[in-house]
Amino acid sequence: MIPSKVKIVEVGPRDGLQNEKEFVPTETKIELVNRLARAGIVNVESTSFVSAKWVPQMSDAAAVMTGIERRPGTIYSVLTPNMRGFEGALESKADEIVIFGAASEAFSQKNINCSIAESIARFEPVAKAAKDAGMRLRGSISCALGCPYQGEVSIESVVDVVERMKALGCDEIDIADTIGVGTPKRTREVMAAVQKVFPRERLSGHFHDTYGQAVGNIYAALLEGIEIYHASVAGLGGCPYAKGATGNVATEDVVYLMNGLGIETGVDLDQLVEIGDFISRAINKPSSSRAGRAILTKKRDGAAACA
Ligand code: HMG
Ligand code: MG
């Protein structure tokens, strides 16, 4: 049954900005996180504690986490590939850490420089430390619907990594279509398979929109009862280790979809559209959100007509 309420996890400040070549000022990142939380986003993936050599854009992670306001009830998440990242997350009082692996061996090597099995071993102490510190733990599985290096990824290998992440104690697990190749049929099959081994209400869909399938895939995942969706305001982003991958599905488009379906998100679409405009101007790129652009145009034309 389609859920009546979903949680939107905003990943723009992390997944969205990590791929920007020009360094985005820390102040802009802080304002982005703050405005998203104020618009009703209850989980903001704010930054990554990763190697600055690998992802220079995230080198100000500690400053971002120090600068943001903490709204009660909002979860501020950060990516942590290893213990060094975890220490940064702990010090900066992140609410949730994200360990990120892949269902594809080739992608695991390119993204985090180790095999799937090695990554799980590397995550073990991180997961334990997070639990000991009372932090939420999320596991993200890249290439669940296809890989830029090896192509086809079997459903069995996705289920296998879900089981390993479950054994690590993950509270939530993300099924990620890193390069946006998935289609609704495959999405339904994968979402149906993973919920046989992990509670459905703690699984999320993380869809990049490279092939324009993300909204369709979200609808497919809704049909499988999935209640958590990741999105990036203005459709920002792409993965630095997935050539050709474009941004996540735009948050504005997801909220518009949910509003149309009568599914509660708690997010203010008008505010979100303004935030999409703010960050697009700040990085000097047009927004990729279809709904965002349409709503903004309508608003501005309306204002001009009344002037
Ligand atoms: P490595 O080179 O194998 O490991 O990197 P290392 O331990 O030899 O470290 C290399 C250097 O990084 C050293 O510095 C370390 O100190 C430093 P040096 O001695 O050479 O000066 N270092 C760190 N610095 C800061 N914070 C840390 C840290 N760890 C090591 N935590 C490593 C391994 C995992 C660190 C590296 O590969 C890395 O940082 N990768 C980042 C990958 C990444 O951020 N990818 C994008 C996010 S994932 C994504 O976008 C997918 C997702 O959206 C889902 C989807 O769509 O699929 C989540
Ligand atoms: Mg991603």
Side-chain angles (χ1 to χ4, degrees):
M1 208 176 70
I2 285 195
S4 58
K5 190 177 171 193
V6 295
K7 177 170 91 167
I8 307 283
V9 179
E10 169 65 45
V11 297
R14 194 283 302 170
D15 205 345
L17 295 184
Q18 73 181 10
N19 211 28
E20 286 303 315
K21 297 278 171 288
E22 292 265 312
F23 190 77
V24 178
T26 306
E27 282 311 309
T28 306
K29 292 171 177 154
I30 291 171
E31 185 173 350
L32 179 63
V33 171
N34 288 345
R35 287 180 67 162
L36 287 162
R38 278 186 230 135
I41 301 277
V42 293
N43 191 340
V44 186
E45 200 169 275
S46 306
T47 186
S48 304
F49 284 90
V50 294
S51 161
K53 279 191 195 144
W54 286 66
V55 188
Q57 187 62 253
M58 296 286 110
S59 60
D60 58 354
V64 169
M65 292 304 285
T66 305
I68 56 174
E69 62 192 35
R70 308 296 175 108
R71 284 177 73 85
T74 304
I75 296 165
Y76 297 90
S77 318
V78 299
L79 264 58
T80 54
N82 52 20
M83 278 310 286
R84 167 119 183 242
F86 173 75
E87 279 147 23
L90 185 66
E91 208 165 305
S92 73
K93 299 189 168 55
D95 301 297
E96 178 180 72
I97 61 152
V98 184
I99 48 179
F100 50 106
S104 136
E105 282 294 349
F107 188 80
S108 182
Q109 288 291 351
K110 295 272 183 194
N111 194 35
I112 49 175
N113 209 17
C114 61
S115 68
I116 296 173
E118 282 163 354
S119 74
I120 298 295
R122 199 184 273 180
F123 296 149
E124 260 167 30
V126 180
K128 185 177 179 309
K131 292 280 148 188
D132 290 348
M135 288 159 109
R136 284 174 56 94
L137 175 68
R138 172 146 62 82
S140 182
I141 304 177
S142 287
C143 299
L145 298 174
C147 170
Y149 308 107
Q150 75 174 48
E152 183 96 359
V153 173
S154 71
I155 292 180
E156 293 69 45
S157 50
V158 182
V159 170
D160 177 56
V161 182
V162 169
E163 283 178 320
R164 295 187 200 208
M165 293 255 184
K166 180 184 177 183
L168 291 175
C170 285
D171 298 299
E172 223 165 275
I173 294 181
D174 312 329
I175 304 301
D177 186 7
T178 314
I179 51 166
V181 286
T183 55
K185 182 173 179 286
R186 184 66 168 187
T187 300
R188 284 198 76 164
E189 288 164 359
V190 171
M191 289 304 190
V194 292
Q195 57 186 279
K196 291 199 179 107
V197 297
F198 193 78
R200 179 183 39 75
E201 63 278 8
R202 295 198 276 124
L203 284 164
S204 79
H206 175 113
F207 300 105
H208 285 260
D209 202 24
T210 319
Y211 288 78
Q213 302 296 298
V215 166
N217 289 340
I218 290 176
Y219 191 69
L222 282 169
L223 294 176
E224 291 301 326
I226 300 301
E227 297 172 15
I228 308 170
Y229 294 94
H230 292 197
S232 188
V233 70
L236 295 169
C239 177
Y241 297 101
K243 227 177 174 50
T246 57
N248 297 88
V249 64
T251 318
E252 300 91 312
D253 296 4
V254 178
V255 173
Y256 183 84
L257 171 74
M258 298 301 171
N259 287 352
L261 291 168
I263 297 174
E264 202 184 310
T265 62
V267 180
D268 183 317
L269 182 55
D270 269 343
Q271 277 190 58
L272 205 54
V273 169
E274 293 298 334
I275 300 167
D277 188 43
F278 151 74
I279 192 63
S280 302
R281 286 171 191 271
I283 63 168
N284 204 18
K285 284 194 177 158
S287 166
S288 309
S289 169
R290 304 284 287 269
R293 287 203 308 263
I295 294 168
L296 211 56
T297 305
K298 197 171 155 194
K299 240 178 164 175
R300 296 206 168 137
D301 285 358
C306 295

